[in-house]
Amino acid sequence: DAKTTQPNSMESNEEEPVHLPCNHSTISGTDYIHWYRQLPSQGPEYVIHGLTSNVNNRMASLAIAEDRKSSTLILHRATLRDAAVYYCIHQPGSNYKLTFGKGTLLTVNP
Amino acid sequence: SAVISQKPSRDICQRGTSLTIQCQVDSQVTMMFWYRQQPGQSLTLIATANQGSEATYESGFVIDKFPISRPNLTFSTLTVSNMSPEDSSIYLCSVRRIQETQYFGPGTRLLVL
């Protein structure tokens, strides 16, 4: 199974940037890197995904290492509503299954 | 995007009984999945619901315990059969179209006594 490693928890202050790291050393050349987040009592929510190049959208940025063995999700200005569990997932290019790891619990302090 | 609703949103059931969870999407989707999230844990994929054919189950999950139907491109059901307290979890429906992101429903919170 596709496997990622993330810190169990991280803490940030409101309105500061947050960098959430993820290691995916077994990633294959066609595997996508996805980030989802799960707010309390909700289903997971898509954040961003990428293959090789860095990606930006209205929610976050995704920085992918040149060797693709790690990536970083960047929240440019954390808000209290960003407190959630963030999951880094690498999805095999051969199928559409998402295999969730334990994720990182992000706490945002006011 | 896709708007997903699940029924029931929560339930309390007695051991030995069965519960059927419904997943309805507001528009046609290519793929539908069922996940389980045990208390304090991450999500685990149960199966892929295939339209008009048997679902594809992941290792550790069997059709007798989790029968799944998918009669069309917007609807699926998951039944949790012969329930025990270990089945107490959140069950989530998820959908995807080709070349699009995956969306998750709000989940069904099941407590088995």
Side-chain angles (χ1 to χ4, degrees):
Chain A
D1 281 345
K3 186 168 176 64
T4 59
T5 305
Q6 300 177 250
N8 290 333
S9 62
M10 290 186 66
E11 206 166 317
S12 173
N13 295 320
E14 203 174 5
E15 299 192 3
E16 290 184 356
V18 182
H19 291 235
L20 296 164
C22 179
N23 288 320
H24 29 78
S25 57
T26 61
I27 196 168
S28 299
T30 57
D31 294 355
Y32 285 86
I33 300 158
H34 290 255
W35 284 82
Y36 281 75
R37 71 181 185 181
Q38 188 172 23
L39 280 65
S41 301
Q42 295 188 26
E45 172 189 31
Y46 168 80
V47 178
I48 201 167
H49 79 284
L51 184 60
T52 56
S53 304
N54 295 343
V55 184
N56 299 295
N57 66 22
R58 63 175 180 81
M59 288 182 70
S61 295
L62 176 59
I64 302 173
E66 200 168 323
D67 62 5
R68 302 209 327 126
K69 294 186 184 301
S70 65
S71 62
T72 302
L73 177 71
I74 303 165
L75 307 179
H76 296 285
R77 289 184 65 192
T79 69
L80 297 178
R81 293 173 57 183
D82 291 323
V85 178
Y86 286 79
Y87 296 100
C88 168
I89 303 162
H90 66 85
Q91 172 223 317
S94 58
N95 65 58
Y96 290 96
K97 294 181 188 178
L98 296 181
T99 302
F100 285 76
K102 296 184 185 299
T104 296
L105 174 63
L106 175 66
T107 302
V108 181
N109 300 313
Chain B
S1 67
V3 178
I4 305 169
S5 59
Q6 288 186 229
K7 289 182 182 179
S9 58
R10 60 179 66 239
D11 208 342
I12 301 173
C13 300
Q14 298 297 318
R15 69 171 67 207
T17 63
S18 298
L19 176 72
T20 295
I21 302 167
Q22 298 180 1
C23 175
Q24 179 73 55
V25 194
D26 66 338
S27 56
Q28 293 184 349
V29 293
T30 311
M31 288 163 277
M32 297 184 79
F33 307 93
W34 286 99
Y35 286 80
R36 179 177 74 181
Q37 188 169 28
Q38 295 177 297
Q41 303 296 314
S42 183
L43 284 77
T44 301
L45 179 62
I46 297 172
T48 303
N50 300 311
Q51 188 204 358
S53 64
E54 194 171 286
T56 305
Y57 290 85
E58 298 300 305
S59 175
F61 297 95
V62 296
I63 188 171
D64 289 346
K65 177 67 176 177
F66 298 101
I68 288 170
S69 78
R70 187 180 173 190
N72 56 48
L73 294 176
T74 62
F75 186 79
S76 177
T77 66
L78 167 75
T79 299
V80 186
S81 303
N82 189 25
M83 289 183 285
S84 67
E86 291 71 35
D87 294 319
S88 297
S89 296
I90 301 171
Y91 293 86
L92 297 115
C93 173
S94 179
V95 304
R96 185 169 187 162
R97 301 183 186 92
I98 302 291
Q99 301 297 333
E100 290 191 12
T101 61
Q102 193 160 328
Y103 300 96
F104 288 80
T108 294
R109 286 155 180 76
L110 172 62
L111 176 62
V112 183
L113 302 177

